[in-house]
Amino acid sequence: MAVSAIFGAKVKRREDPRMITGRGRYTDDVKLPGMLYAAFVRSPHAHARIKGVNIEKAKKIKGVVCIYTGKDTEGKVAPVPCAWQIPNADLKVPKYNPLAVDKVRYVGDPVAVVVAETPYAARDAAEAVEVEYEPLPAVVNQVEATEEGAPQLYDDVPNNIAFRWTLQGGDVEKAFQEAEIVIEQDLINHRLQPTAIETRGAVANYDPSTGELTMWMTSQNPHIHRFLISVMTGVPEHKLRVIAPDVGGGFGSKIHVYGAEAVVAFLAKELCRPVKWMEDRRENYLATIHGRDHIQHVRVAAKRDGTILGIEVKTYANLGAYLSTAAPGIPTWLFGLMLCGPYRIQAVKCEVIGVLTNTAPVDAYRGAGRPEATYILERIIDILARELGMDPAEIRLRNFIPADAFPYQTAAGPVYDSGNYEQAFKRALELIEYEKLREEQRRAREEGKLLGIGISSYVEICGLGPSRGVRATGFGLGLWESTTVRVHPTGKVSVYTGGHPHGQGEETTFAQIVAEELGIPIDDVDIIHGDTGEIPFGMGTYGSRTTPVAGGAIALACRRIKEKARKIAAYILEAGEADVEFEAGKFYVRGSPEKSVPIQQVALASYAAGEGEIPPGMEPGLESTVFYDPENFTFPFGTHVALVEIDPETGQVKVLKYVAVDDCGRQINPMIVEGQVHGGIVQGIAQALWEEALYDKNGNLLTATLSDYAVPTAADVPSFVTDSTVTPSPHNPLGVKGVGETGTIASTPAIVNAVVDALAHLGVKHVDMPLRADKIWKILKEKDIAK
Amino acid sequence: MARKKQLLETAETYVSVSMKVNGVPCSAKIEPRTLLVHFLRDVLGLTGTHWGCDTGNCGACTVIMNGKSVKSCNIFAVQADGAEIITIEGLAKDGQLHPIQEAFWENHGLQCGFCTPGFIMQAYWLLQQNPNPTEEEVRRGISGNICRCTGYQNIVKAILTAAEKMKR
Ligand code: FES
Ligand code: FES
C-alpha cells in the first residue's frame, strides 16, 4: 500500500469550523414553521398499577393541543422491539410499551404525552396530568430480584429472570483439578449513566400529500432507527426519512430505539404538524439507558508460578425494567467472549443471569461488556499476584499470548487477528518508569504516604463485525457497512457512508482515506453521513466499528473506482491495462511516466463517454457502492499504568501520573486517536473513582441531576501520557482496528488496581468501586490511619 | 370577544425585554419566565449556545453578560434586560476566527462539539481575567463546564495556546 503524506497525518478536523463558530446543527436547533412541542408524563413510582389518568385539568392549560395516554396509543404505536435475541438462553422478551398501559415499572416510565404550542406550556400541562397509581413493592437489586418472594415485574417472567446464558471453552474441571492455587472474588461493576452532554430528542414532520415523514433525531444509527421506527409506527420504511444531524455525544445511549421517538413520529402524523421533543437532563438520567451493573463472582485456577489455567465467572446482569434494543447481547456475548483477555487461559466458563428490575433499562454504554470482562481479569490477576507474592507486572508477562501465536483462538471462542501484547506492555512500563516508581513507593510508605501503582492490560473486540458471526449470536441484522463513493466529472468526490460519526472525526479521517487511495487533494472530498435520504444503508457508529468497517468499505470502493479508471486510462493512453500504473492521482504507462492521465481527466472522460473517451461497451460514470462485510472482528489492545496517591486524612484519591499505550493498528490521524484515548480514559477513571447511578430501595434514582451524578471536570483529572504501538489488522483493508472504547476499557481497572496497591500493605485486598473519599476514609479509619 | 380576551391575557402575561446581543440591539415580548438560554436560541435563533442540564452544572450555555461569564440557563431573559451579551456567534470578527477558536481547532479541543461554545466563552472570560494562566489555573477556571468527549487534555492545551496567541 502506498504511503502518502495524508494517511497518518495529524490533519485538523474538517467538522470543527462549524462547531467552534456556533454553526453546528444539532437536533434541538431544528425549528420548523408551526412546530408543536411534546412533553412526557413520567411515573414517580418504580412499580405501580395505573388506576386512571385524568387529563381534564391539563387540557385547559393555554396552548395545549392534545394529550395521549398509553391506552390511546396502544395498537397505534407497536411495542419497542428487542433486536438482540440471544439464542439458547431461554430468553423472555416482555412487552415494552412506548407509553405504559396498565403498569409502570421504573421511575421515569412514560405514561402519557402532552403536545402544546410552546415547550413551557407542554411541561406545565405534563405536570398537570393526574395519574392515579396503586404502588406495588419494587426491587432494584438484581440478585434480590431472583429470590423467593421478590416483587414480580411481569406475570410471564418468573423470578424476573429474562435469560440464563452460558459459555464454555476448554476443560474447566481439569483446570481446577490441576490448580496449585484457586482464588475467588466477588466483584461489583456498578451502574453508570452515559451522560452525553446533548440529551436525547427528536423533531418529526409529516407531509400528508406524499405520506412522507421526516425525523431529525439524536441518533448514532439513523438507518436502524428508521427500520425500527417504521416497524413501530407503520410508516413505510421508504416513506420515512431519518436525519441525524450533528449529534452531541452518544457513548451508546443513542444507539437504541426508545418508545419516545416513535411516539413523536406518531404525533406528527396524527396532527399533521411538526412536533419537537427534547429530554431535559433529569429525564435523560431517568429514562435513557444506563450501563454496566454486574454483580460478579469469579474463580481462577493457577499454578504457583503464576500461570493461569482456567477461569470461571458467574454474573448477575441488571437489565432494568424492559429489554432495551441490544440489552441481552451486551452482558453475554460482548462480555463472555473476552474473558480470556490478552492471556493464554486454556479453559473458561461463564454463566450470566439477566435480571429485570424496577430500574431504567440497561444497554450498551461505551465499552459495553468489554470493560466488565477486562475489570474481572485485571482485578483477579492482581489479587492472584498478591497471593503468590509476585509483582503484578511479572504475572502479566508470564501469561500474555506471545506475539508469534497470532492469529490466536482463545478458549472463549474468538480468533484474535494480530497482537504484540508484550511490546505495548513494556513500552508503558518504560514510559512510567515502573522500577523507579516502585522504589519511590517504598520510600513513600516509610514516610506514611499512600502511593499506589496500577497496571491494566487489555484486548478488546471491535470492528463489529462479520455478519455471520453476529447473526449467530442472535443480533437482528448483519453488521457490515455500506458506502457510495462518487467521483464527479470535475474529479471532486462525494462519499456517502453508513457510519454516523458524532465526535469521532470521520468527516476528516474518511476524507484522508479517499485522498490517499485516489491521490487527490483532501479538499476535493466531502463526507456525507447521517441521512437515510442520501445514504444507501448504514449500521451506524458504535462499538469502535466505524473506522474499521465503514472506513474499510470506503477503501474498497476507492479501489474499485481505480480498477475502472485504470481501464479508461489504458484506453485513453492506448496502452495495455496491465501496463498502466497509478501513483499520486495519475495513471501512466509503465516505463514512460510522461504518458500519463490524471484521475480527474479520467473522471471527465467517464461521464463524456464518447469515442476515444471510454472503451466501447463500458458503462459511463465513475462511482462505486460497496457493502463491506468484514471477515473477522478486530482486536485492539494495550496497557495502561496509573500512579495514584491517597490523602491519609481524607481518603481522597488523586491520579498523579497516567500512561496509556494503545495499539489500534494503523492510524489514519494520530491526533484523533489520541483524543479518543483521552476521553475514554476520563470516562473510565470516573467509574473507578466517582460516578455511580444510585437507586434507593424503593427505586428512586438518587443521581438524577448533574449535581448528584459525579461527572469529572477538568480540575479532577491530570494530563495523560499517550503512546502507541502499531500492529496492523491483517484482514482489514486498511489495517486499522478501532479505538473509540479502549481508554474506557483499560482505565477503570488501572485506577482500582493502583488504589488497592496503595492500601495493600495495610492488608486490603479489594475494594468495590467507586473509590470515593468516604469509602477509602472508612478503610483508613479502621486501619487507624485516618483520624 | 374571544380574540380580545386573548389579547388582554397576552398583554398581562408577556413582558418586553431589550438587550444588545453581539453588538446588535434586539427586543421582544416574552413570557417573564423565559430563560436567557431559550431567549437566545428560540427567540433570536442563536442556536450556537447550547444547554445540557437543568442545574447549572454543565456550562454548555455559557455566554458573556456585561463582561462576565454567566450560565444563561440560570438567568431569566428579563434579568438581562439592558445588558450586553456576547455569544459564540459574536466571537469571530470579519470572518476571522478568534484566537481561542483557532486554538480549539488546532489542538483538537473538541469532538462532538456540543460543549464547545460554552468552553470557548468560558475561556474567553478566563483569559480576560488571567491572560497568563498555568495549567492548574486553566483546569480550575473551566471546572464549571463539563465535556464528556475530550477528557479535557486538549481543551486545556487549546486555552494555554490561545493565551500565547493573544499575547502576540
Ligand atoms: S445548561 Fe447546564 S449549566 Fe446551563
Ligand atoms: S466535545 Fe462532546 S461534550 Fe465536549
Side-chain angles (χ1 to χ4, degrees):
Chain A
M1 189 178 307
V3 180
S4 76
I6 193 83
F7 193 104
K10 295 190 172 188
V11 176
K12 279 197 293 178
R13 293 205 327 167
R14 316 162 93 217
E15 32 280 90
D16 291 4
R18 66 175 186 271
M19 291 170 174
I20 53 179
T21 53
R23 289 201 193 87
R25 198 177 195 227
Y26 300 86
T27 297
D28 194 32
D29 303 342
V30 175
K31 197 172 181 181
L32 303 174
M35 192 159 77
L36 298 170
Y37 299 84
F40 287 89
V41 178
R42 294 185 180 274
S43 168
H45 298 283
H47 199 189
R49 235 179 278 288
I50 301 171
K51 306 296 281 182
V53 184
N54 183 350
I55 60 170
E56 289 315 310
K57 220 167 92 191
K59 251 172 40 188
K60 293 202 185 88
I61 288 177
K62 207 175 112 202
V64 170
V65 174
C66 62
I67 300 171
Y68 288 85
T69 66
K71 282 222 164 67
D72 301 330
T73 54
E74 204 180 12
K76 293 182 178 147
V77 185
V80 184
C82 174
W84 199 340
Q85 305 218 359
I86 54 173
N88 308 322
D90 193 17
L91 177 69
K92 310 215 168 44
V93 183
K95 197 168 172 192
Y96 181 179
N97 284 315
L99 294 177
V101 179
D102 301 316
K103 242 178 139 187
V104 288
R105 294 185 175 86
Y106 70 97
V107 171
D109 209 350
V111 179
V113 63
V114 175
V115 184
E117 299 285 347
T118 69
Y120 287 6
R123 294 183 63 162
D124 285 347
E127 265 166 46
V129 170
E130 293 166 335
V131 185
E132 195 192 327
Y133 295 100
E134 177 197 324
L136 300 167
V139 62
V140 301
N141 175 289
Q142 62 264 50
V143 177
E144 285 165 22
T146 63
E147 284 163 3
E148 249 330 281
Q152 299 294 300
L153 269 73
Y154 299 91
D155 295 337
D156 49 359
V157 186
N159 304 316
N160 302 311
I161 294 177
F163 62 78
R164 267 177 198 279
W165 180 87
T166 52
L167 177 133
Q168 186 155 353
D171 194 338
V172 181
E173 256 171 52
K174 184 165 151 248
F176 278 89
Q177 272 161 15
E178 287 176 0
E180 292 165 4
I181 178 171
V182 172
I183 299 284
E184 294 201 37
Q185 183 65 46
D186 289 318
L187 296 168
I188 295 178
N189 204 304
H190 61 281
R191 183 184 279 245
L192 299 173
Q193 297 164 197
T195 320
I197 302 300
E198 176 199 40
T199 58
R200 266 171 52 231
V203 178
N205 189 26
Y206 181 67
D207 182 344
S209 59
T210 60
E212 272 167 23
L213 196 135
T214 306
M215 288 188 84
W216 291 258
M217 61 184 278
T218 53
S219 169
Q220 295 179 227
N221 31 240
H223 283 90
I224 294 186
H225 275 129
R226 181 183 65 172
F227 173 47
L228 296 175
I229 291 173
S230 160
V231 170
M232 289 172 73
T233 58
V235 177
E237 206 176 349
H238 66 300
K239 295 281 188 190
L240 182 59
R241 177 175 181 187
V242 175
I243 301 170
D246 285 326
V247 176
F251 314 108
S253 69
K254 294 169 182 171
I255 297 173
H256 318 295
V257 64
Y258 299 82
E261 284 86 338
V263 168
V264 171
F266 161 80
L267 292 170
K269 195 172 164 205
E270 281 285 294
L271 303 168
C272 286
R273 279 179 72 179
V275 177
K276 176 190 276 188
W277 159 74
M278 284 302 301
E279 286 177 331
D280 60 26
R281 175 58 59 191
R282 190 180 149 74
E283 202 178 1
N284 175 264
Y285 275 166
L286 290 177
T288 287
I289 61 102
H290 294 173
R292 317 274 192 266
D293 208 343
H294 285 203
I295 295 177
Q296 306 164 331
H297 183 76
V298 53
R299 286 177 77 222
V300 149
K303 291 206 278 200
R304 294 217 73 90
D305 68 358
T307 308
I308 302 174
L309 300 172
I311 182 166
E312 200 183 316
V313 172
K314 182 172 179 181
T315 284
Y316 284 84
N318 196 337
L319 305 168
Y322 302 95
L323 285 186
S324 172
T325 316
I330 306 301
T332 53
W333 289 105
L334 287 182
F335 168 71
L337 286 181
M338 293 317 289
L339 277 172
C340 293
Y343 308 114
R344 254 171 319 173
I345 301 175
Q346 301 299 330
V348 56
K349 187 175 166 191
C350 173
E351 182 186 4
V352 182
I353 298 128
V355 186
L356 294 155
T357 65
N358 296 112
T359 60
V362 177
D363 206 323
Y365 165 57
R366 199 173 193 172
R370 292 150 289 168
E372 295 91 319
T374 304
Y375 184 72
I376 288 186
L377 277 169
E378 292 308 286
R379 280 301 299 129
I380 200 74
I381 200 165
D382 258 35
I383 293 169
L384 176 64
R386 190 89 52 207
E387 208 59 38
L388 292 169
M390 280 175 85
D391 187 286
E394 191 192 335
I395 194 166
R396 285 177 171 82
L397 276 174
R398 168 136 323 176
N399 285 285
F400 278 144
I401 298 163
D404 60 10
F406 294 90
Y408 178 92
Q409 180 160 30
T410 74
V415 179
Y416 293 174
D417 55 350
S418 63
N420 190 340
Y421 303 151
E422 200 175 313
Q423 188 185 26
F425 177 84
K426 287 194 164 149
R427 181 81 189 116
L429 262 59
E430 184 185 305
L431 280 171
I432 206 154
E433 302 184 288
Y434 185 71
E435 294 303 328
K436 225 170 100 189
L437 276 193
R438 284 279 174 220
E439 261 311 305
E440 212 176 291
Q441 181 187 35
R442 264 189 288 276
R443 276 200 306 275
R445 268 188 192 156
E446 281 162 21
E447 294 165 21
K449 283 198 197 158
L450 300 170
L451 278 191
I453 305 159
I455 305 176
S456 159
S457 295
Y458 73 94
V459 53
E460 69 134 325
I461 183 168
C462 63
L464 274 54
S467 295
R468 279 170 194 278
V470 297
R471 288 286 294 142
T473 70
F475 194 80
L477 290 171
L479 278 177
W480 40 268
E481 198 51 272
S482 84
T483 191
T484 294
V485 176
R486 179 169 300 149
V487 185
H488 301 289
T490 53
K492 311 286 184 210
V493 175
S494 296
V495 177
Y496 301 85
T497 171
H500 180 46
H502 42 281
Q504 299 86 346
E506 275 96 352
E507 287 176 29
T508 307
T509 49
F510 283 178
Q512 288 178 263
I513 295 174
V514 176
E516 144 127 356
E517 292 283 340
L518 299 182
I520 59 175
I522 190 169
D523 288 341
D524 287 359
V525 188
D526 238 359
I527 307 298
I528 297 115
H529 62 94
D531 182 351
T532 64
E534 297 218 49
I535 289 132
F537 201 90
M539 291 302 173
T541 288
Y542 43 84
S544 310
R545 68 187 300 275
T546 302
T547 299
V549 191
I554 290 169
L556 292 179
C558 289
R559 289 170 201 175
R560 279 192 204 166
I561 284 171
K562 272 190 287 188
E563 272 170 42
K564 181 172 180 183
R566 183 190 306 276
K567 288 197 176 81
I568 298 172
Y571 179 69
I572 295 173
L573 295 169
E574 296 177 342
E577 205 191 315
D579 295 327
V580 174
E581 303 262 354
F582 179 75
E583 207 186 297
K586 280 198 179 89
F587 292 95
Y588 63 94
V589 181
R590 188 177 311 115
S592 38
E594 72 291 347
K595 275 190 86 180
S596 74
V597 49
I599 190 160
Q600 289 82 355
Q601 194 184 324
V602 172
L604 187 60
S606 79
Y607 286 92
E611 179 68 41
E613 287 164 335
I614 63 172
M618 178 185 266
E619 270 182 30
L622 195 57
E623 69 173 65
S624 169
T625 295
V626 165
F627 285 65
Y628 167 55
D629 196 350
E631 72 184 61
N632 189 6
F633 301 96
T634 56
F635 297 88
F637 60 90
T639 291
H640 290 205
V641 194
L643 173 72
V644 304
E645 178 164 17
I646 300 172
D647 182 336
E649 295 301 320
T650 63
Q652 193 101 34
V653 176
K654 194 167 175 200
V655 182
L656 299 180
K657 272 193 194 158
Y658 196 101
V659 166
V661 177
D662 297 282
D663 191 323
C664 59
R666 286 182 80 212
Q667 299 187 6
I668 303 169
N669 187 330
M671 176 188 82
I672 288 178
V673 169
E674 255 175 42
Q676 289 295 309
V677 172
H678 292 164
I681 293 173
V682 170
Q683 274 183 22
I685 294 180
Q687 173 173 24
L689 295 181
W690 307 294
E691 287 180 21
E692 181 179 28
L694 265 182
Y695 281 96
D696 71 11
K697 65 177 192 321
N698 297 320
N700 297 301
L701 184 65
L702 304 177
T703 47
T705 71
L706 258 175
S707 300
D708 303 302
Y709 188 70
V711 175
T713 70
D716 299 316
V717 288
S719 285
F720 314 111
V721 176
T722 53
D723 198 5
S724 49
T725 57
V726 176
T727 310
S729 167
H731 64 81
N732 182 277
L734 293 165
V736 300
K737 288 192 171 186
V739 73
E741 294 156 301
T742 58
T744 317
I745 292 168
S747 59
T748 308
I751 297 294
V752 176
N753 285 348
V755 172
V756 175
D757 184 56
L759 302 170
H761 61 297
L762 306 173
V764 174
K765 288 193 177 138
H766 175 72
V767 191
D768 276 320
M769 305 181 283
L771 306 174
R772 286 193 298 253
D774 52 333
K775 194 182 276 176
I776 303 295
W777 181 83
K778 271 188 207 128
I779 295 170
L780 294 173
K781 181 106 177 110
E782 270 167 32
K783 307 280 178 193
D784 258 353
I785 305 276
K787 288 168 197 95
Chain B
M1 194 60 207
R3 171 95 184 123
K4 196 172 165 197
K5 187 166 166 267
Q6 205 186 345
L7 281 176
L8 275 176
E9 264 178 38
T10 310
E12 267 165 23
T13 50
Y14 281 61
V15 293
S16 31
V17 287
S18 325
M19 60 188 91
K20 221 182 207 182
V21 180
N22 301 326
V24 181
C26 39
S27 47
K29 278 200 182 323
I30 55 168
E31 273 188 74
R33 61 173 166 171
T34 306
L35 297 173
L36 180 57
V37 63
H38 294 147
F39 178 77
L40 293 170
R41 291 179 50 83
D42 301 337
V43 180
L44 301 185
L46 294 172
T47 53
T49 301
H50 300 149
W51 57 270
C53 69
D54 341 292
T55 45
N57 291 91
C58 77
C61 61
T62 306
V63 298
I64 306 297
M65 175 166 139
N66 295 331
K68 275 197 188 141
S69 94
V70 296
K71 290 179 171 168
S72 61
C73 72
N74 267 359
I75 291 182
F76 291 114
V78 291
Q79 291 175 284
D81 193 33
E84 293 224 13
I85 307 279
I86 310 175
T87 70
I88 187 73
E89 289 92 344
L91 226 50
K93 291 270 179 304
D94 309 321
Q96 196 57 36
L97 291 178
H98 189 280
I100 301 175
Q101 292 171 310
E102 271 175 13
F104 268 70
W105 190 11
E106 286 160 8
N107 290 285
H108 189 26
L110 57 148
Q111 291 182 20
C112 78
F114 199 76
C115 69
T116 312
F119 270 97
I120 291 180
M121 298 319 288
Q122 181 63 15
Y124 178 83
W125 176 80
L126 178 71
L127 293 179
Q128 261 169 19
Q129 300 304 299
N130 179 359
N132 246 327
T134 62
E135 172 171 348
E136 230 6 76
E137 286 165 344
V138 170
R139 284 188 179 273
R140 254 183 290 125
I142 57 170
S143 64
N145 293 58
I146 292 176
C147 173
R148 193 56 157 169
C149 299
T150 62
Y152 302 106
Q153 187 153 332
N154 289 341
I155 293 181
V156 173
K157 207 166 130 201
I159 297 173
L160 291 169
T161 311
E164 287 304 316
K165 279 176 186 267
M166 286 163 75
K167 272 184 242 159
R168 281 179 221 143

